Amino acid sequence: MAKAARLGLIETGRGTPLLCIHGFPLDRRLWRRQLERLGDIRRVLAPDLRGRGPSRERFETGWSLDDHADDLAALLAELREPVVDLAGVSMGGYVAFALLRRHPERVRSLILIDTKASADNAEGKAAREASAAAVREKGVAVLVEQMLPKLITPGASAAVRAAVQEMIEDTPRETAARDLLAMRDRPDSTPMLGEIRVPTLVIHGSDDALMPIDGARAMAAAIGGAKFVAIPGAGHLPMLEAPDEFNAALRGFLRR
Ligand code: MLT
């Protein structure tokens, strides 16, 4: 196992843990509305993935999404929480697949949010490399320009826009570049969909501009017994753009 990172963490609540994995290029603050409102039914854990917050300066080399998954498994061991409900959005969903592959005994249920199982194709890999090079050269302003309009809908509130922009701007450029290369190298998780045996919820913003909703419907259909919930009018980050609908979907699933 990779040496564990000391990850930043925000947590609230008590009981069975809900581990929430953020997307790219974001951090633990993405889950603020879930931390505020789901603590009555779960111990909500929102860690940073490595390279952000307290662990921002610790790594001399790049990493893989498997390293992110192993960091989270190590964090759970430290917290003495052997088994969790696991939620991941976008890149966090890719990390959730890695955790399920590498540490299946830790996952009691799975919540896949605005994510996909497939790997990057050749064109996608080339785009990751170009983005990583641009970020290293010019900084994360490149990501604000390219990604912010795709992460949220044009109708998102000024507060949501500012929160997302702040997270992007606080991501160290080298961390963003390494995550891009880690996403480039992720395996195809499609073959494992039919083998997922834990209760699964797939949630997707109906207006996600980065990942069309039809792909998420197909992913849900490939997982035995998975439930699918669309969040009307929300983009790629429904936990921020439509927290009430999002939390209601989560609550319904977690209380099943
Ligand atoms: C994310 O939102 O985590 C990323 O945009 C996912 C990706 O680029 O594949």
Side-chain angles (χ1 to χ4, degrees):
M1 185 190 278
K3 192 172 177 315
R6 185 151 296 275
L7 304 179
L9 173 71
I10 325 179
E11 69 161 294
T12 55
R14 282 189 303 178
T16 307
L18 168 67
L19 177 65
C20 301
I21 315 176
H22 64 76
F24 172 86
L26 306 172
D27 62 47
R28 56 188 167 171
R29 292 170 290 177
L30 179 64
W31 304 102
R32 64 188 74 194
R33 299 288 179 226
Q34 290 64 53
L35 287 154
E36 279 165 17
R37 297 184 205 163
L38 293 175
D40 59 325
I41 56 164
R42 284 293 182 278
R43 180 183 187 189
V44 186
L45 302 171
D48 282 331
L49 294 174
R50 67 164 68 176
R52 295 149 176 89
S55 75
R56 59 189 292 152
E57 306 297 351
R58 281 172 189 255
F59 296 93
E60 280 164 19
T61 59
W63 49 73
S64 66
L65 297 185
D66 285 352
D67 290 326
H68 282 321
D70 289 352
D71 287 344
L72 294 173
L75 174 73
L76 294 178
E78 233 173 78
L79 296 172
R80 297 181 198 282
E81 292 288 9
V83 185
V84 296
D85 295 301
L86 181 64
V89 58
S90 202
M91 180 179 76
Y94 312 155
V95 175
F97 283 126
L99 223 152
L100 197 56
R101 208 166 11 242
R102 297 169 71 78
H103 307 279
E105 71 289 351
R106 295 203 165 276
V107 184
R108 71 193 283 270
S109 77
L110 183 63
I111 301 144
L112 297 168
I113 306 146
D114 291 76
T115 192
K116 59 187 173 196
S118 55
D120 287 353
N121 59 19
E123 195 187 331
K125 286 181 196 289
R128 299 282 191 202
E129 283 158 25
S131 290
V135 168
R136 280 186 168 132
E137 192 192 328
K138 299 182 189 144
V140 291
V142 168
L143 297 176
V144 173
E145 193 183 309
Q146 288 173 1
M147 289 195 70
L148 187 57
K150 295 186 191 154
L151 288 171
I152 54 177
T153 63
S157 70
V160 163
R161 179 174 299 276
V164 176
Q165 182 162 346
E166 187 180 16
M167 286 187 275
I168 300 175
E169 286 174 347
D170 287 348
T171 304
R173 69 170 76 180
E174 187 55 26
T175 293
R178 290 173 180 184
D179 276 345
L180 283 161
L181 298 179
M183 287 193 281
R184 174 197 63 183
D185 295 337
R186 76 188 188 281
D188 182 10
S189 295
T190 313
M192 72 187 278
L193 295 180
E195 282 155 28
I196 294 176
R197 296 283 173 264
V198 291
T200 300
L201 171 66
V202 175
I203 308 185
H204 214 85
S206 67
D207 295 356
D208 186 334
L210 269 178
M211 296 186 191
I213 193 166
D214 288 350
R217 277 188 214 284
M219 180 172 72
I223 303 172
K227 189 169 173 332
F228 180 80
V229 175
I231 307 289
H236 192 61
L237 303 174
M239 70 291 295
L240 266 187
E241 274 203 60
D244 293 344
E245 293 83 348
F246 181 88
N247 288 346
L250 227 56
R251 238 172 221 287
F253 175 72
L254 293 171
R255 285 198 156 146
R256 74 198 174 273

